[in-house]
Amino acid sequence: MWRKMSASMTGYGRGEAAGAERRLIVEIKSVNNRYCDIQIRMPRLFAALENRVREMVASRVARGKLDLYITYEDRSAQASQVRYDAGLVHAYALALREMASRENMPDGLNAGLIARFNDVLQVEPGVVPMDEVQALLEHALNQALDGLCKMRALEGARMADDIRERAQRLETMRQGVAARAPQVVTAYRQRLTDRVQELFGDQASSLVSEERLAVEIAMYADKCAIDEELVRLQSHLKQLQEGIGLDEPVGKKLDFLVQEINREINTIGSKANDLNLVQDVVTMKSEVEKIREQVQNLE
């Protein structure tokens, strides 16, 4: 049994089961979908087993659009039955005899002649031993599901590795932004001081007090403060890393986390009055978009 951890929603599986006279093939392919959407194409004689097929698939797959194809071959003597329409045969016989009598023609009526007319002979499927067929179907379906889940798990593992690597890059960039943030206020203070000195020269200290400068700097520092966003971003990135390792379908949860990560980065970008921080935010948003593409294919 393959684990659901970090499974992709894209995959393919095939299973086959055969008895002495009967053979059954099951093929499954899956692609992305918000829900578990199962489409089954199978012979009508399997209609009574459709619910069982859905139960087996749903027990192994949580999300994805799945197309399931069932092919059945019956080489037994009971595979088909040929019946004739007695009422139609009688009507043909009466019509032929009447035609021969009126037209003074030789009768020549026989079963072979009547059998050539449309709808006289009808081929119907024979009686199917449902217990045997169900056993074959479940065996082939389990094989197909094993192959599907294996492919989804392998693809999911590759995607999870990529997400972990990108999440670590985001954390490294987050730390760089956190280290740069205090320098933004310091740089603003220096620019403000230099501007005042440039405008007022020797009178700067008398016209603009240190208290006034401190108030301006404090207002600027409050406006561009990103401490809370950085803390929340760190928490979301940690949850993203932990979520990848859960032994359960995680796609929806991670998709929500990615939205929150993107929200915090956008807020940091809107507050960052600094060219270096803006450049970091652009790079971080690019990484988040790549993570989003991967997450949306996870089960």
Side-chain angles (χ1 to χ4, degrees):
M1 180 73 69
W2 284 85
R3 303 173 71 190
K4 294 180 179 179
M5 180 174 60
S6 302
S8 166
M9 284 190 283
T10 303
Y12 171 82
R14 183 181 187 278
E16 181 176 338
E21 299 175 320
R22 296 175 176 86
R23 179 169 172 262
L24 194 147
I25 299 172
V26 175
E27 294 180 279
I28 308 177
K29 65 177 182 179
S30 67
V31 294
N32 295 7
N33 195 277
R34 293 180 62 188
Y35 309 103
C36 184
D37 179 13
I38 305 171
Q39 301 293 326
I40 303 174
R41 295 168 177 81
M42 61 184 179
R44 292 182 59 185
L45 63 92
F46 289 158
L49 300 176
E50 180 174 345
N51 286 339
R52 175 56 181 159
V53 171
R54 291 186 179 277
E55 290 174 1
M56 292 178 65
V57 174
S59 70
R60 304 281 296 276
V61 177
R63 291 177 65 201
K65 182 182 184 302
L66 297 102
D67 290 305
L68 190 148
Y69 305 89
I70 298 175
T71 304
Y72 177 65
E73 297 177 9
D74 190 340
R75 299 182 296 274
S76 67
Q78 298 79 31
S80 299
Q81 296 180 352
V82 179
R83 301 181 183 277
Y84 72 94
D85 188 325
L88 192 58
V89 168
H90 182 67
Y92 275 130
L94 287 177
L96 290 172
R97 287 195 177 102
E98 182 179 353
M99 181 178 66
S101 175
R102 288 186 176 185
E103 301 298 330
N104 195 26
M105 300 169 58
D107 191 327
L109 187 63
N110 59 62
L113 175 64
I114 296 180
R116 297 175 186 174
F117 293 113
N118 293 337
D119 301 325
V120 170
L121 297 180
Q122 300 170 358
V123 180
E124 301 176 352
V127 177
V128 178
M130 293 308 296
D131 290 344
E132 178 184 346
V133 169
Q134 181 171 346
L136 292 175
L137 175 59
E138 292 186 0
H139 183 74
L141 181 55
N142 276 322
Q143 279 187 5
L145 286 169
D146 285 344
L148 175 75
C149 293
K150 179 179 179 180
M151 181 177 290
R152 285 162 61 110
L154 290 173
E155 178 64 19
R158 287 192 288 268
M159 293 164 55
D161 289 341
D162 183 71
I163 292 172
R164 289 191 185 95
E165 183 179 342
R166 295 186 186 280
Q168 186 56 53
R169 290 180 197 166
L170 284 174
E171 173 57 23
T172 301
M173 285 186 278
R174 187 203 68 83
Q175 294 174 10
V177 170
R180 173 66 183 170
Q183 301 175 29
V184 174
V185 177
T186 301
Y188 176 75
R189 179 186 181 93
Q190 186 62 50
R191 290 197 306 272
L192 185 60
T193 302
D194 293 345
R195 183 60 174 164
V196 170
Q197 187 67 37
E198 179 184 342
L199 290 173
F200 301 112
D202 295 339
Q203 296 180 327
S205 58
S206 60
L207 293 175
V208 182
S209 66
E210 287 292 331
E211 290 78 8
R212 178 58 180 168
L213 286 176
V215 170
E216 291 292 333
I217 294 168
M219 292 175 60
Y220 177 83
D222 182 65
K223 182 180 179 180
C224 66
I226 56 175
D227 294 345
E228 293 182 6
E229 288 79 6
L230 289 171
V231 170
R232 287 195 293 268
L233 180 57
Q234 182 182 30
S235 175
H236 295 332
L237 289 173
K238 182 179 179 182
Q239 292 180 64
L240 180 64
Q241 293 275 23
E242 292 173 350
I244 286 293
L246 293 178
D247 188 13
E248 61 186 42
V250 296
K252 290 183 178 180
K253 178 179 179 180
L254 297 188
D255 189 45
F256 173 76
L257 276 174
V258 171
Q259 292 179 38
E260 293 302 304
I261 290 170
N262 193 57
R263 191 195 314 277
E264 300 301 340
I265 293 174
N266 281 335
T267 304
I268 291 171
S270 66
K271 289 184 174 183
N273 191 11
D274 178 78
L275 180 59
N276 291 330
L277 288 184
V278 170
Q279 291 174 341
D280 288 340
V281 165
V282 171
T283 304
M284 292 171 79
K285 286 175 65 67
S286 176
E287 289 294 328
V288 171
E289 186 58 33
K290 291 172 183 176
I291 290 176
R292 187 198 302 276
E293 292 174 1
Q294 298 284 38
V295 164
Q296 288 179 344
N297 194 37
L298 285 179
E299 184 179 27

PDB file of all heavy atoms in Angstrom, residues 264-293:
ATOM      1  N   GLU A 264       1.462  38.096   3.271  1.00  0.00           N
ATOM      2  CA  GLU A 264       2.463  38.736   4.134  1.00  0.00           C
ATOM      3  C   GLU A 264       3.571  39.390   3.301  1.00  0.00           C
ATOM      4  O   GLU A 264       4.029  40.497   3.605  1.00  0.00           O
ATOM      5  CB  GLU A 264       3.075  37.716   5.095  1.00  0.00           C
ATOM      6  CG  GLU A 264       2.083  37.033   6.032  1.00  0.00           C
ATOM      7  CD  GLU A 264       1.331  38.003   6.922  1.00  0.00           C
ATOM      8  OE1 GLU A 264       1.808  39.140   7.115  1.00  0.00           O
ATOM      9  OE2 GLU A 264       0.246  37.638   7.412  1.00  0.00           O
ATOM     10  N   ILE A 265       3.985  38.731   2.251  1.00  0.00           N
ATOM     11  CA  ILE A 265       5.041  39.286   1.397  1.00  0.00           C
ATOM     12  C   ILE A 265       4.544  40.547   0.698  1.00  0.00           C
ATOM     13  O   ILE A 265       5.277  41.535   0.573  1.00  0.00           O
ATOM     14  CB  ILE A 265       5.524  38.235   0.378  1.00  0.00           C
ATOM     15  CG1 ILE A 265       6.243  37.091   1.111  1.00  0.00           C
ATOM     16  CG2 ILE A 265       6.458  38.860  -0.651  1.00  0.00           C
ATOM     17  CD1 ILE A 265       6.638  35.933   0.223  1.00  0.00           C
ATOM     18  N   ASN A 266       3.293  40.543   0.255  1.00  0.00           N
ATOM     19  CA  ASN A 266       2.719  41.737  -0.374  1.00  0.00           C
ATOM     20  C   ASN A 266       2.686  42.909   0.604  1.00  0.00           C
ATOM     21  O   ASN A 266       2.980  44.050   0.234  1.00  0.00           O
ATOM     22  CB  ASN A 266       1.308  41.448  -0.875  1.00  0.00           C
ATOM     23  CG  ASN A 266       1.293  40.699  -2.193  1.00  0.00           C
ATOM     24  OD1 ASN A 266       2.251  40.768  -2.967  1.00  0.00           O
ATOM     25  ND2 ASN A 266       0.232  39.972  -2.460  1.00  0.00           N
ATOM     26  N   THR A 267       2.336  42.616   1.860  1.00  0.00           N
ATOM     27  CA  THR A 267       2.286  43.675   2.869  1.00  0.00           C
ATOM     28  C   THR A 267       3.677  44.228   3.133  1.00  0.00           C
ATOM     29  O   THR A 267       3.871  45.447   3.263  1.00  0.00           O
ATOM     30  CB  THR A 267       1.681  43.138   4.173  1.00  0.00           C
ATOM     31  OG1 THR A 267       0.388  42.587   3.917  1.00  0.00           O
ATOM     32  CG2 THR A 267       1.543  44.247   5.207  1.00  0.00           C
ATOM     33  N   ILE A 268       4.654  43.339   3.216  1.00  0.00           N
ATOM     34  CA  ILE A 268       6.039  43.782   3.404  1.00  0.00           C
ATOM     35  C   ILE A 268       6.455  44.685   2.241  1.00  0.00           C
ATOM     36  O   ILE A 268       7.079  45.735   2.429  1.00  0.00           O
ATOM     37  CB  ILE A 268       6.983  42.570   3.502  1.00  0.00           C
ATOM     38  CG1 ILE A 268       6.737  41.816   4.818  1.00  0.00           C
ATOM     39  CG2 ILE A 268       8.447  43.004   3.421  1.00  0.00           C
ATOM     40  CD1 ILE A 268       7.464  40.493   4.923  1.00  0.00           C
ATOM     41  N   GLY A 269       6.085  44.300   1.027  1.00  0.00           N
ATOM     42  CA  GLY A 269       6.438  45.103  -0.138  1.00  0.00           C
ATOM     43  C   GLY A 269       5.790  46.472  -0.124  1.00  0.00           C
ATOM     44  O   GLY A 269       6.401  47.470  -0.532  1.00  0.00           O
ATOM     45  N   SER A 270       4.523  46.535   0.350  1.00  0.00           N
ATOM     46  CA  SER A 270       3.828  47.826   0.378  1.00  0.00           C
ATOM     47  C   SER A 270       4.397  48.749   1.445  1.00  0.00           C
ATOM     48  O   SER A 270       4.303  49.979   1.328  1.00  0.00           O
ATOM     49  CB  SER A 270       2.336  47.607   0.623  1.00  0.00           C
ATOM     50  OG  SER A 270       2.109  47.077   1.922  1.00  0.00           O
ATOM     51  N   LYS A 271       4.988  48.178   2.508  1.00  0.00           N
ATOM     52  CA  LYS A 271       5.547  48.993   3.591  1.00  0.00           C
ATOM     53  C   LYS A 271       7.024  49.327   3.370  1.00  0.00           C
ATOM     54  O   LYS A 271       7.544  50.270   3.964  1.00  0.00           O
ATOM     55  CB  LYS A 271       5.400  48.271   4.934  1.00  0.00           C
ATOM     56  CG  LYS A 271       3.979  48.200   5.462  1.00  0.00           C
ATOM     57  CD  LYS A 271       3.969  47.564   6.844  1.00  0.00           C
ATOM     58  CE  LYS A 271       2.601  47.610   7.480  1.00  0.00           C
ATOM     59  NZ  LYS A 271       2.623  47.060   8.857  1.00  0.00           N
ATOM     60  N   ALA A 272       7.682  48.516   2.551  1.00  0.00           N
ATOM     61  CA  ALA A 272       9.137  48.655   2.406  1.00  0.00           C
ATOM     62  C   ALA A 272       9.479  49.858   1.546  1.00  0.00           C
ATOM     63  O   ALA A 272       9.335  49.830   0.329  1.00  0.00           O
ATOM     64  CB  ALA A 272       9.721  47.383   1.791  1.00  0.00           C
ATOM     65  N   ASN A 273       9.926  50.925   2.186  1.00  0.00           N
ATOM     66  CA  ASN A 273      10.348  52.121   1.454  1.00  0.00           C
ATOM     67  C   ASN A 273      11.862  52.052   1.247  1.00  0.00           C
ATOM     68  O   ASN A 273      12.615  52.922   1.669  1.00  0.00           O
ATOM     69  CB  ASN A 273       9.963  53.370   2.253  1.00  0.00           C
ATOM     70  CG  ASN A 273      10.129  54.635   1.436  1.00  0.00           C
ATOM     71  OD1 ASN A 273      10.328  54.580   0.225  1.00  0.00           O
ATOM     72  ND2 ASN A 273      10.083  55.775   2.106  1.00  0.00           N
ATOM     73  N   ASP A 274      12.260  50.953   0.577  1.00  0.00           N
ATOM     74  CA  ASP A 274      13.698  50.699   0.419  1.00  0.00           C
ATOM     75  C   ASP A 274      13.894  49.858  -0.834  1.00  0.00           C
ATOM     76  O   ASP A 274      13.220  48.822  -1.018  1.00  0.00           O
ATOM     77  CB  ASP A 274      14.237  49.968   1.654  1.00  0.00           C
ATOM     78  CG  ASP A 274      15.714  49.641   1.541  1.00  0.00           C
ATOM     79  OD1 ASP A 274      16.549  50.541   1.744  1.00  0.00           O
ATOM     80  OD2 ASP A 274      16.035  48.468   1.232  1.00  0.00           O
ATOM     81  N   LEU A 275      14.816  50.272  -1.681  1.00  0.00           N
ATOM     82  CA  LEU A 275      15.019  49.589  -2.958  1.00  0.00           C
ATOM     83  C   LEU A 275      15.448  48.143  -2.764  1.00  0.00           C
ATOM     84  O   LEU A 275      14.954  47.241  -3.448  1.00  0.00           O
ATOM     85  CB  LEU A 275      16.065  50.344  -3.789  1.00  0.00           C
ATOM     86  CG  LEU A 275      16.392  49.737  -5.161  1.00  0.00           C
ATOM     87  CD1 LEU A 275      15.141  49.654  -6.022  1.00  0.00           C
ATOM     88  CD2 LEU A 275      17.481  50.534  -5.858  1.00  0.00           C
ATOM     89  N   ASN A 276      16.356  47.894  -1.834  1.00  0.00           N
ATOM     90  CA  ASN A 276      16.830  46.524  -1.605  1.00  0.00           C
ATOM     91  C   ASN A 276      15.700  45.615  -1.135  1.00  0.00           C
ATOM     92  O   ASN A 276      15.591  44.466  -1.573  1.00  0.00           O
ATOM     93  CB  ASN A 276      17.968  46.522  -0.585  1.00  0.00           C
ATOM     94  CG  ASN A 276      19.233  47.153  -1.125  1.00  0.00           C
ATOM     95  OD1 ASN A 276      19.500  47.109  -2.326  1.00  0.00           O
ATOM     96  ND2 ASN A 276      20.028  47.773  -0.251  1.00  0.00           N
ATOM     97  N   LEU A 277      14.867  46.136  -0.232  1.00  0.00           N
ATOM     98  CA  LEU A 277      13.746  45.327   0.253  1.00  0.00           C
ATOM     99  C   LEU A 277      12.742  45.047  -0.859  1.00  0.00           C
ATOM    100  O   LEU A 277      12.203  43.940  -0.949  1.00  0.00           O
ATOM    101  CB  LEU A 277      13.054  46.039   1.420  1.00  0.00           C
ATOM    102  CG  LEU A 277      13.807  46.080   2.751  1.00  0.00           C
ATOM    103  CD1 LEU A 277      12.943  46.734   3.831  1.00  0.00           C
ATOM    104  CD2 LEU A 277      14.227  44.690   3.198  1.00  0.00           C
ATOM    105  N   VAL A 278      12.494  46.027  -1.680  1.00  0.00           N
ATOM    106  CA  VAL A 278      11.565  45.830  -2.802  1.00  0.00           C
ATOM    107  C   VAL A 278      12.088  44.754  -3.750  1.00  0.00           C
ATOM    108  O   VAL A 278      11.333  43.895  -4.223  1.00  0.00           O
ATOM    109  CB  VAL A 278      11.343  47.154  -3.556  1.00  0.00           C
ATOM    110  CG1 VAL A 278      10.572  46.901  -4.858  1.00  0.00           C
ATOM    111  CG2 VAL A 278      10.575  48.140  -2.686  1.00  0.00           C
ATOM    112  N   GLN A 279      13.379  44.761  -4.015  1.00  0.00           N
ATOM    113  CA  GLN A 279      13.976  43.736  -4.876  1.00  0.00           C
ATOM    114  C   GLN A 279      13.844  42.357  -4.246  1.00  0.00           C
ATOM    115  O   GLN A 279      13.554  41.367  -4.930  1.00  0.00           O
ATOM    116  CB  GLN A 279      15.439  44.077  -5.146  1.00  0.00           C
ATOM    117  CG  GLN A 279      15.632  45.304  -6.036  1.00  0.00           C
ATOM    118  CD  GLN A 279      17.087  45.701  -6.176  1.00  0.00           C
ATOM    119  OE1 GLN A 279      17.934  45.317  -5.372  1.00  0.00           O
ATOM    120  NE2 GLN A 279      17.383  46.483  -7.218  1.00  0.00           N
ATOM    121  N   ASP A 280      14.045  42.282  -2.925  1.00  0.00           N
ATOM    122  CA  ASP A 280      13.871  41.008  -2.215  1.00  0.00           C
ATOM    123  C   ASP A 280      12.425  40.524  -2.304  1.00  0.00           C
ATOM    124  O   ASP A 280      12.164  39.323  -2.498  1.00  0.00           O
ATOM    125  CB  ASP A 280      14.273  41.161  -0.751  1.00  0.00           C
ATOM    126  CG  ASP A 280      15.779  41.294  -0.562  1.00  0.00           C
ATOM    127  OD1 ASP A 280      16.524  40.888  -1.481  1.00  0.00           O
ATOM    128  OD2 ASP A 280      16.206  41.793   0.491  1.00  0.00           O
ATOM    129  N   VAL A 281      11.485  41.441  -2.165  1.00  0.00           N
ATOM    130  CA  VAL A 281      10.068  41.082  -2.232  1.00  0.00           C
ATOM    131  C   VAL A 281       9.716  40.536  -3.615  1.00  0.00           C
ATOM    132  O   VAL A 281       8.983  39.541  -3.733  1.00  0.00           O
ATOM    133  CB  VAL A 281       9.192  42.304  -1.885  1.00  0.00           C
ATOM    134  CG1 VAL A 281       7.738  42.052  -2.294  1.00  0.00           C
ATOM    135  CG2 VAL A 281       9.266  42.602  -0.398  1.00  0.00           C
ATOM    136  N   VAL A 282      10.228  41.141  -4.666  1.00  0.00           N
ATOM    137  CA  VAL A 282       9.964  40.660  -6.024  1.00  0.00           C
ATOM    138  C   VAL A 282      10.480  39.229  -6.193  1.00  0.00           C
ATOM    139  O   VAL A 282       9.795  38.361  -6.757  1.00  0.00           O
ATOM    140  CB  VAL A 282      10.616  41.594  -7.065  1.00  0.00           C
ATOM    141  CG1 VAL A 282      10.544  40.972  -8.472  1.00  0.00           C
ATOM    142  CG2 VAL A 282       9.939  42.950  -7.059  1.00  0.00           C
ATOM    143  N   THR A 283      11.682  38.974  -5.688  1.00  0.00           N
ATOM    144  CA  THR A 283      12.252  37.619  -5.775  1.00  0.00           C
ATOM    145  C   THR A 283      11.427  36.626  -4.963  1.00  0.00           C
ATOM    146  O   THR A 283      11.164  35.498  -5.409  1.00  0.00           O
ATOM    147  CB  THR A 283      13.704  37.623  -5.267  1.00  0.00           C
ATOM    148  OG1 THR A 283      14.471  38.574  -6.007  1.00  0.00           O
ATOM    149  CG2 THR A 283      14.338  36.246  -5.428  1.00  0.00           C
ATOM    150  N   MET A 284      10.988  37.046  -3.775  1.00  0.00           N
ATOM    151  CA  MET A 284      10.180  36.167  -2.923  1.00  0.00           C
ATOM    152  C   MET A 284       8.843  35.846  -3.583  1.00  0.00           C
ATOM    153  O   MET A 284       8.380  34.695  -3.535  1.00  0.00           O
ATOM    154  CB  MET A 284       9.964  36.833  -1.561  1.00  0.00           C
ATOM    155  CG  MET A 284      11.238  36.963  -0.730  1.00  0.00           C
ATOM    156  SD  MET A 284      11.017  37.966   0.757  1.00  0.00           S
ATOM    157  CE  MET A 284      10.223  36.771   1.832  1.00  0.00           C
ATOM    158  N   LYS A 285       8.215  36.832  -4.211  1.00  0.00           N
ATOM    159  CA  LYS A 285       6.940  36.584  -4.877  1.00  0.00           C
ATOM    160  C   LYS A 285       7.102  35.604  -6.032  1.00  0.00           C
ATOM    161  O   LYS A 285       6.214  34.785  -6.296  1.00  0.00           O
ATOM    162  CB  LYS A 285       6.349  37.910  -5.380  1.00  0.00           C
ATOM    163  CG  LYS A 285       5.769  38.780  -4.278  1.00  0.00           C
ATOM    164  CD  LYS A 285       5.306  40.125  -4.799  1.00  0.00           C
ATOM    165  CE  LYS A 285       4.150  39.960  -5.759  1.00  0.00           C
ATOM    166  NZ  LYS A 285       2.929  39.469  -5.066  1.00  0.00           N
ATOM    167  N   SER A 286       8.222  35.655  -6.713  1.00  0.00           N
ATOM    168  CA  SER A 286       8.490  34.710  -7.791  1.00  0.00           C
ATOM    169  C   SER A 286       8.585  33.283  -7.248  1.00  0.00           C
ATOM    170  O   SER A 286       8.042  32.343  -7.837  1.00  0.00           O
ATOM    171  CB  SER A 286       9.786  35.093  -8.512  1.00  0.00           C
ATOM    172  OG  SER A 286      10.111  34.135  -9.506  1.00  0.00           O
ATOM    173  N   GLU A 287       9.259  33.124  -6.115  1.00  0.00           N
ATOM    174  CA  GLU A 287       9.376  31.799  -5.493  1.00  0.00           C
ATOM    175  C   GLU A 287       8.014  31.289  -5.029  1.00  0.00           C
ATOM    176  O   GLU A 287       7.680  30.106  -5.179  1.00  0.00           O
ATOM    177  CB  GLU A 287      10.339  31.855  -4.313  1.00  0.00           C
ATOM    178  CG  GLU A 287      11.796  32.032  -4.699  1.00  0.00           C
ATOM    179  CD  GLU A 287      12.347  30.831  -5.460  1.00  0.00           C
ATOM    180  OE1 GLU A 287      11.912  29.693  -5.192  1.00  0.00           O
ATOM    181  OE2 GLU A 287      13.196  31.026  -6.337  1.00  0.00           O
ATOM    182  N   VAL A 288       7.209  32.194  -4.455  1.00  0.00           N
ATOM    183  CA  VAL A 288       5.884  31.797  -3.973  1.00  0.00           C
ATOM    184  C   VAL A 288       5.009  31.323  -5.129  1.00  0.00           C
ATOM    185  O   VAL A 288       4.266  30.343  -5.004  1.00  0.00           O
ATOM    186  CB  VAL A 288       5.203  32.966  -3.230  1.00  0.00           C
ATOM    187  CG1 VAL A 288       3.741  32.631  -2.914  1.00  0.00           C
ATOM    188  CG2 VAL A 288       5.946  33.279  -1.943  1.00  0.00           C
ATOM    189  N   GLU A 289       5.087  31.989  -6.267  1.00  0.00           N
ATOM    190  CA  GLU A 289       4.290  31.597  -7.416  1.00  0.00           C
ATOM    191  C   GLU A 289       4.682  30.201  -7.909  1.00  0.00           C
ATOM    192  O   GLU A 289       3.815  29.400  -8.292  1.00  0.00           O
ATOM    193  CB  GLU A 289       4.457  32.617  -8.548  1.00  0.00           C
ATOM    194  CG  GLU A 289       3.553  32.370  -9.749  1.00  0.00           C
ATOM    195  CD  GLU A 289       2.082  32.356  -9.383  1.00  0.00           C
ATOM    196  OE1 GLU A 289       1.686  33.092  -8.454  1.00  0.00           O
ATOM    197  OE2 GLU A 289       1.329  31.593 -10.020  1.00  0.00           O
ATOM    198  N   LYS A 290       5.964  29.899  -7.862  1.00  0.00           N
ATOM    199  CA  LYS A 290       6.412  28.559  -8.264  1.00  0.00           C
ATOM    200  C   LYS A 290       5.941  27.505  -7.270  1.00  0.00           C
ATOM    201  O   LYS A 290       5.606  26.377  -7.659  1.00  0.00           O
ATOM    202  CB  LYS A 290       7.935  28.550  -8.380  1.00  0.00           C
ATOM    203  CG  LYS A 290       8.446  29.388  -9.554  1.00  0.00           C
ATOM    204  CD  LYS A 290       9.956  29.521  -9.549  1.00  0.00           C
ATOM    205  CE  LYS A 290      10.446  30.418 -10.688  1.00  0.00           C
ATOM    206  NZ  LYS A 290      11.905  30.642 -10.644  1.00  0.00           N
ATOM    207  N   ILE A 291       5.932  27.856  -5.982  1.00  0.00           N
ATOM    208  CA  ILE A 291       5.407  26.929  -4.972  1.00  0.00           C
ATOM    209  C   ILE A 291       3.912  26.705  -5.198  1.00  0.00           C
ATOM    210  O   ILE A 291       3.415  25.578  -5.102  1.00  0.00           O
ATOM    211  CB  ILE A 291       5.658  27.474  -3.551  1.00  0.00           C
ATOM    212  CG1 ILE A 291       7.152  27.425  -3.230  1.00  0.00           C
ATOM    213  CG2 ILE A 291       4.873  26.666  -2.516  1.00  0.00           C
ATOM    214  CD1 ILE A 291       7.509  28.026  -1.880  1.00  0.00           C
ATOM    215  N   ARG A 292       3.190  27.784  -5.508  1.00  0.00           N
ATOM    216  CA  ARG A 292       1.747  27.667  -5.741  1.00  0.00           C
ATOM    217  C   ARG A 292       1.459  26.685  -6.883  1.00  0.00           C
ATOM    218  O   ARG A 292       0.540  25.857  -6.796  1.00  0.00           O
ATOM    219  CB  ARG A 292       1.154  29.030  -6.069  1.00  0.00           C
ATOM    220  CG  ARG A 292      -0.371  29.023  -6.171  1.00  0.00           C
ATOM    221  CD  ARG A 292      -0.875  30.249  -6.923  1.00  0.00           C
ATOM    222  NE  ARG A 292      -0.448  31.462  -6.285  1.00  0.00           N
ATOM    223  CZ  ARG A 292      -1.077  32.026  -5.266  1.00  0.00           C
ATOM    224  NH1 ARG A 292      -2.157  31.458  -4.775  1.00  0.00           N
ATOM    225  NH2 ARG A 292      -0.613  33.149  -4.740  1.00  0.00           N
ATOM    226  N   GLU A 293       2.229  26.773  -7.955  1.00  0.00           N
ATOM    227  CA  GLU A 293       2.021  25.876  -9.091  1.00  0.00           C
ATOM    228  C   GLU A 293       2.194  24.421  -8.681  1.00  0.00           C
ATOM    229  O   GLU A 293       1.459  23.543  -9.150  1.00  0.00           O
ATOM    230  CB  GLU A 293       3.006  26.231 -10.213  1.00  0.00           C
ATOM    231  CG  GLU A 293       2.731  27.588 -10.865  1.00  0.00           C
ATOM    232  CD  GLU A 293       3.811  27.967 -11.860  1.00  0.00           C
ATOM    233  OE1 GLU A 293       4.753  27.161 -12.046  1.00  0.00           O
ATOM    234  OE2 GLU A 293       3.732  29.060 -12.461  1.00  0.00           O
TER     235      GLU A 293
END
